[in-house]
Amino acid sequence: MKDLKGKTVWMTGGGGDLATSAAKLFLQEGACVVLTVSSEEKIPLTRERYPEAADCLEVVKGDVRILEEMEAAAKRTVERFGSLDILVTCAGAIRHAPIDEMSMKDWQDIVDINLTGTFCACKAAVPFMKRQGGGRIVNVSSIAGRTGRPGNGVNYAASKAGVDGLTKLLAAQLAPFHINVNGVAPGPMKGSMFQRMTPEQQAASGKNVPLGRIGELEEVAWAIRYLVSEEAAWITGAILDVNGGMYM
C-alpha cells in the first residue's frame, strides 16, 4: 500500500486502545493525526504515548455527544494541518446488563456515545471533505451489532447496529462527493479490558473463537488502514469483520 504522507487523520476516542494502535500506524506511514479525547486531563496522558510525533500530532478535548465540540475539533484539524482527509470514529463505551436490570441511563449513555457520537463526528467532518473533493471515513462498529452474542447488552448491540446502518446509508449519500464510508466490526481484542483478566480468564476468552485466540489491536488497526488506502478506493458501504471467524 502507498504511504500516507501528506494526509491528515482525525480520530475520536483518541485515548482508547484501538485508536492508539491505529494512530501509531498512521504516524509511522507519514500522516498527521488529530486525536479527540473526552477530558482535558487525558490530553497530556495521550500525548505521552507518541514521544516522536510532536510535529504531526494534535490532541484536543471534545465530547463526541456534542456536535459543536466535534465541529470545533474538525475545524482545528484543518487549521493545524491544512486538510481533513480521513476520519476514524473510535469513541465507544460498553455497559452490559440484562434488559430487566438495565436503567434508562445505561441505555441512553451507550446510545449517545456510540451512535450519536459517530453521527456528530461524521456530520462535522463531511463539509470539509466535500470542499476538498473527497475523503475517507471508517466507523468502528462491533460484531455485536449483527449477532446475538451472549453477554452483550441490548444498548450496546442496538448502538452498533445503528452505526452499521449509518455507515451504509452515508456511503450512498456521499459517493457523488468521492467520500468513501466503511466500517470495521472487531471481535474481542487484547485491549486494557483483556489485560485486567486473570490468566485463566484470558485463556478461556479465546476458546469460542474459531481461529483459537483473541485478536491483536494491530490486526484491527491494519483493517482500518486498508479501508483508507488508495487500494480500497472502490470500496464503500462495507462493514469489514475482523473477528477470527467469531460470528456469534
Side-chain angles (χ1 to χ4, degrees):
M1 287 187 286
K2 297 177 183 177
D3 62 32
L4 294 172
K5 289 179 181 177
K7 301 293 185 181
T8 301
V9 184
W10 173 33
M11 304 180 70
T12 65
D17 298 323
L18 179 56
T20 300
S21 182
K24 288 181 177 179
L25 178 57
F26 290 142
L27 289 164
Q28 288 169 6
E29 297 209 5
C32 290
V33 176
V34 175
L35 299 171
T36 303
V37 295
S38 58
S39 67
E40 295 287 347
E41 292 76 16
K42 290 183 179 180
I43 291 177
L45 297 174
T46 303
R47 286 185 185 278
E48 289 174 1
R49 299 174 184 173
Y50 312 92
E52 307 299 325
D55 293 338
C56 262
L57 178 72
E58 179 93 0
V59 184
V60 298
K61 188 265 180 187
D63 188 331
V64 293
R65 299 168 294 184
I66 301 173
L67 177 59
E68 292 77 11
E69 294 195 15
M70 292 297 94
E71 289 174 333
K75 182 180 179 183
R76 177 57 184 160
T77 300
V78 175
E79 288 174 345
R80 174 72 193 275
F81 297 118
S83 65
L84 200 174
D85 304 294
I86 297 164
L87 167 66
V88 183
T89 61
C90 284
I94 297 173
R95 203 176 297 166
H96 299 323
I99 193 168
D100 53 330
E101 299 174 14
M102 184 176 292
S103 68
M104 283 305 301
K105 181 171 173 34
D106 289 335
W107 168 268
Q108 198 64 58
D109 285 350
I110 299 307
V111 171
D112 285 349
I113 294 169
N114 293 355
L115 180 55
T116 303
T118 300
F119 165 81
C120 289
C122 290
K123 183 172 173 62
V126 163
F128 294 101
M129 291 183 174
K130 281 186 174 182
R131 284 199 289 270
Q132 67 194 24
R136 299 280 196 275
I137 297 174
V138 178
N139 295 320
V140 177
S141 180
S142 169
I143 60 171
R146 285 171 290 132
T147 72
R149 187 179 168 209
N152 285 300
V154 293
N155 52 357
Y156 185 74
S159 69
K160 292 302 186 178
V163 169
D164 290 347
L166 181 154
T167 298
K168 289 179 174 294
L169 186 55
L170 199 58
Q173 289 183 351
L174 297 179
F177 303 97
H178 309 289
I179 301 171
N180 297 49
V181 188
N182 293 292
V184 168
M189 297 177 287
K190 290 184 181 177
S192 54
M193 187 180 298
F194 178 84
Q195 301 302 332
R196 289 193 294 269
M197 293 178 180
T198 65
E200 293 76 18
Q201 290 172 325
Q202 290 180 352
S205 64
K207 287 184 177 179
N208 293 325
V209 181
L211 287 182
R213 63 175 176 83
I214 299 299
E216 302 288 345
L217 292 165
E218 292 78 9
E219 291 172 316
V220 181
W222 272 107
I224 295 170
R225 169 67 182 91
Y226 170 65
L227 288 173
V228 305
S229 70
E230 291 301 317
E231 289 79 0
W234 210 47
I235 299 174
T236 196
I239 309 297
L240 177 57
D241 291 306
V242 189
N243 58 27
M246 188 177 184
Y247 290 95
M248 282 298 291

